[in-house]
Amino acid sequence: MMKTPYYQYDIGLLQRTLSEAKSEASLYGYHIHYAIKANANPTLLGIIAKAGFGADCVSGNEIHAALSNGFSPSGIVFAGVGKTDDEIELSIRNDIYCIHCESVQELEVIDRIAHHQKRRTRVALRINPNVNANTHKSITTGLKQNKFGLTLTEAKALLSSTSKYANVEIIGLHFHIGSQILDMDVFKHLALAVNSIQEELGTQSLPYLNVGGGLGINYQNPELHPIPDFKSYFSTFRTWLKHGNGQKVHFELGRSLVGQCGQLITCVLYTKGNEDKRFVVVDAGMNALIRPALYGAVHRIVNLKKRELPEKFVYDVVGPICETTDCLGEEVLLPETERGDLLAIQSCGAYAESMVSDYNLRDRPGNEFCNAETPETIHL
Ligand code: LLP
């Protein structure tokens, strides 16, 4: 038996999700880059690379992870408001597909570093479209008050002074407005904003248009909705997004590709209670899964040993960390739960293992790979 807590990944579900995303996107000739920040587990990266996805990276180390797990440099894009000189140097040296530039100063630095390397490098301008993603405020990125991207005015100025940046080829635009978005109207608004920005800047003749990621998953009922609605997502862009004839449309999906294939398995150490509350104390804490503490995220929790029993007791599921916010689930309905029971915290494939820390010097959770359709452990 694996030592708890550990992340268990359903490889079969991952593969079905990837193939569904890919076939819906390819109906319209759309390209998908996997946003590595969602989960950089090397086994998952290998599978996603093999399935033919590109990679969206936000650090030099993510570029290293992409390259060493099978992604081709020509499918790698690199975003981030604070790229260091070393990271820019690395991406130019490896001739990745494109750097998403987020400020005027950054373009000057990219140009200078490309000049030193005697190369011309491809860049897309990340524009903040000021579109409300209607999602949790901590994962909204496309509003004026957020730190991301260039303003339209800055982009316009850069596009009309390209001769100043002789070592840079501006190939198009990049957008990303936020994450865990389930309302397709938000993507419609993004598409309309992109259309008018492209019209204003005259960028439809450029080869590249990247509209980011953000498609959400169902955290309330993952068993009923294991695969996100890629059909509605891509067809929304197909309906509303206008792009130039020679312009390829790219996406950067993270959560929707990997979110439902992972769960955090944790063991119940103790149960206790007082007049107001019952607590289940488990061996996974906010170091293993920070989303509830950081964003008030709610993950479904099930008692694996008592799946058949009615969930009629209300518990706070708490971890061992010395912080009051170390609560993985507040007022969770579970069957009567005892020391030694195993709990599965579901929908933990995205932004869970990748946000693990060793706070309180706790061990990092291990990994197990399985295929729920043929319930045995896979040794990869
Ligand atoms: N592209 C860019 C530029 C991004 O910043 C992100 C996510 C993505 C793509 C992928 O977005 P997705 O398809 O996964 O929604 N830690 C938070 C989520 C932070 C998202 C950061 N950026 C959470 O646990 O909910």
Side-chain angles (χ1 to χ4, degrees), residues 4 14 40 52 55-56 68 75 78 92 119 130 138 166 206 219 232-233 256 285 288 317-318 348 354 356 369 375:
T4 53
L14 172 62
D56 159 38
S68 58
F78 179 28
I92 299 176
R119 291 184 193 237
N130 199 27
S138 308
L206 298 177
Y219 282 98
S232 303
Y233 176 67
S256 54
V317 177
V318 298
C348 273
S354 61
V356 163
F369 301 95

Side-chain angles (χ1 to χ4, degrees), residues 35 37-38 56 79 126 139 141 174 176 178-180 212-215 252-256 291 295 350-351 355:
K37 64 179 84 64
D56 159 38
R126 177 174 183 173
I139 53 175
T141 51
H174 170 238
H176 174 76
S179 198
Q180 185 52 21
L215 176 62
E252 299 166 344
L253 296 176
R255 189 188 319 263
S256 54
R291 302 192 71 256
Y295 315 113
Y351 305 110
M355 296 179 80

